[in-house]
Amino acid sequence: MLYLVVFQLHGNEPTHTGFYEVLENLGTAARVFDGAYLLDAGWTAYGVRERLLPHVKPNDRLIVTKMYAHDCAGKLPKDLKAFIERTITDWYAPQPVIHLPPDPDALP
């Protein structure tokens, strides 16, 4: 699964070395820019979060979100686009929402 991991770590870099070590050990990580990584990992978003939380201080911020094919847009260098294309397949794409007509027998 491909995740976008976005974070804002307060304080100096050496106090967060465990965070970066865990991030790198969770799977294949590609730095997008400061505080944003693409992470190809076999965990759920919650699992990634749980492994990173022990290294996040109370004033830090963290978002882990799964990426889907055809559901993201941006401006990235070719190597990052290629990483995304190699990692996300149509199999991960969410299914369309089916809107059923209202049930004529349902009470208002």
Side-chain angles (χ1 to χ4, degrees), residues 8 16-17 38 43 46 48-49 51 54-55 62 64 69 78 103:
Q8 182 181 31
H16 292 94
T17 54
L38 292 169
W43 306 94
Y46 182 80
V48 171
R49 172 193 176 268
R51 283 155 184 81
H55 307 283
L62 173 66
V64 179
K78 288 182 182 179
D103 182 357

Side-chain angles (χ1 to χ4, degrees), residues 1-105:
M1 304 287 176
L2 185 65
Y3 298 100
L4 178 62
V5 179
V6 182
F7 52 89
Q8 182 181 31
L9 305 177
H10 297 284
N12 56 10
E13 185 94 7
T15 63
H16 292 94
T17 54
F19 179 90
Y20 290 102
E21 288 174 10
V22 170
L23 181 64
E24 294 289 332
N25 289 325
L26 284 172
T28 305
R31 182 180 173 272
V32 179
F33 48 80
D34 286 344
Y37 279 72
L38 292 169
L39 175 65
D40 181 18
W43 306 94
T44 63
Y46 182 80
V48 171
R49 172 193 176 268
E50 287 301 296
R51 283 155 184 81
L52 291 172
L53 271 185
H55 307 283
V56 175
K57 312 259 187 281
N59 290 332
D60 295 342
R61 300 288 183 256
L62 173 66
I63 297 172
V64 179
T65 187
K66 184 176 172 184
M67 295 186 65
Y68 294 94
H70 314 295
D71 276 356
C72 59
K75 183 177 182 296
L76 296 172
K78 288 182 182 179
D79 61 328
L80 289 175
K81 286 181 186 178
F83 178 80
I84 292 170
E85 290 169 2
R86 281 192 314 268
T87 309
I88 297 180
T89 65
D90 287 331
W91 185 82
Y92 295 124
Q95 299 300 312
V97 175
I98 300 172
H99 296 283
L100 300 174
D103 182 357
D105 297 327

